[in-house]
Amino acid sequence: MLGELLPQFEKDTGHRVSVTFGPVGALTDRITKGEATDVAIVSDQQIDELQNSGKVVAGTRWVVARTGVGAFARKNSQKPDISSVDAFKRALLAARAVTYADPASGGAGGIYVSHLMERLGLSAEMTQKTKLDPRGGKLIYQLVANGEADLGFDQMSIILAQPTVEFVGPLPEPIQRYTTFAAGIGAASSQAEIGRVFITYLTSPTAKARLRASGLLLGVT
């Protein structure tokens, strides 16, 4: 979500930004264990946890955006209908293989899809043809792009940034799950004021327009 915003922020302000990407669960764990950060951007729940543990400054919680879970397929392949819950279940059962991030990696998308399979009563059918990515989401795009899996699942903002696959669509609303991303200032940061400038930029009208284009939804408080 930061790909286009960082260069513009650096150009506008003269501040340089170094970013570490990863599953929000893994990032939260690293900060909890003492890794220094100026600005943390994880889920809203995890920002609250980091504030409660003293790793993020209390009162510096800003909601940045949210995104839902979607499906993707190989480029130029026939896209399945996932417009309803029943259609989604049929698409899963018809797929030769599906892929998503291993829930143990801490990725919100993988955790939710794993629980969703159980909720839909499809765990037994899907276990044998599910390819989990232990690294948290990079491998799933390769598996779909080269035909080893018919469908992959991830957060929509991440899917739309991938050049090697095509977005099929969001999960049907009755089974959709939105993740809200929030930012906070690291308690040990020596650049707290610059961090505030950065977060203010991320919540500006210009940044919000770009976030919407990348599959992130605003309008949350």
Side-chain angles (χ1 to χ4, degrees):
M1 81 185 195
L2 298 176
E4 295 182 7
L5 296 177
L6 289 179
Q8 191 62 49
F9 172 79
E10 292 178 339
K11 180 180 178 181
D12 291 346
T13 66
H15 298 306
R16 301 288 296 175
V17 181
S18 177
V19 180
T20 299
F21 294 99
V24 291
L27 293 175
T28 302
D29 184 58
R30 289 165 61 176
I31 296 170
T32 299
K33 291 178 178 177
E35 184 167 325
T37 184
D38 294 312
V39 175
I41 303 176
V42 289
S43 75
D44 56 346
Q45 180 180 352
Q46 288 161 328
I47 281 290
D48 291 342
E49 293 171 0
L50 290 171
Q51 284 191 133
N52 292 337
S53 65
K55 299 299 182 180
V56 164
V57 177
T60 65
R61 179 188 188 278
W62 289 272
V63 169
V64 177
R66 66 174 181 149
T67 189
V69 178
F72 59 94
R74 184 165 51 89
K75 280 191 169 183
N76 301 317
S77 64
Q78 184 174 357
K79 308 303 183 293
D81 175 14
I82 61 168
S83 59
S84 68
V85 175
D86 285 342
F88 178 72
K89 293 171 69 173
R90 288 193 295 269
L92 288 175
L93 295 173
R96 293 171 302 140
V98 302
T99 183
Y100 50 89
D102 190 332
S105 71
I111 292 171
Y112 178 66
V113 174
S114 176
H115 290 161
L116 180 61
M117 297 299 176
E118 297 178 8
R119 175 181 162 188
L120 296 176
L122 298 177
S123 292
E125 292 91 337
M126 298 306 298
T127 296
Q128 296 302 315
K129 57 180 181 179
T130 297
K131 299 178 183 290
L132 298 177
D133 178 3
R135 296 182 297 178
K138 295 181 180 179
L139 179 63
I140 61 178
Y141 295 98
Q142 298 175 24
L143 293 174
V144 170
N146 65 24
E148 293 183 56
D150 296 327
L151 280 176
F153 302 98
D154 206 348
Q155 293 180 323
M156 291 189 289
S157 57
I158 301 175
I159 296 172
L160 292 172
Q162 305 301 316
T164 59
V165 297
E166 288 184 359
F167 182 52
V168 174
L171 298 191
E173 198 62 31
I175 56 171
Q176 180 58 269
R177 174 66 176 269
Y178 294 102
T179 298
T180 299
F181 295 100
I185 303 295
S189 173
S190 61
Q191 305 289 335
E193 287 308 311
I194 296 175
R196 291 174 187 274
V197 171
F198 179 59
I199 294 173
T200 298
Y201 177 78
L202 290 181
T203 56
S204 68
T206 297
K208 287 182 177 182
R210 292 185 178 181
L211 291 173
R212 284 193 186 93
S214 67
L216 289 157
L217 309 173
L218 284 301
V220 291
T221 58

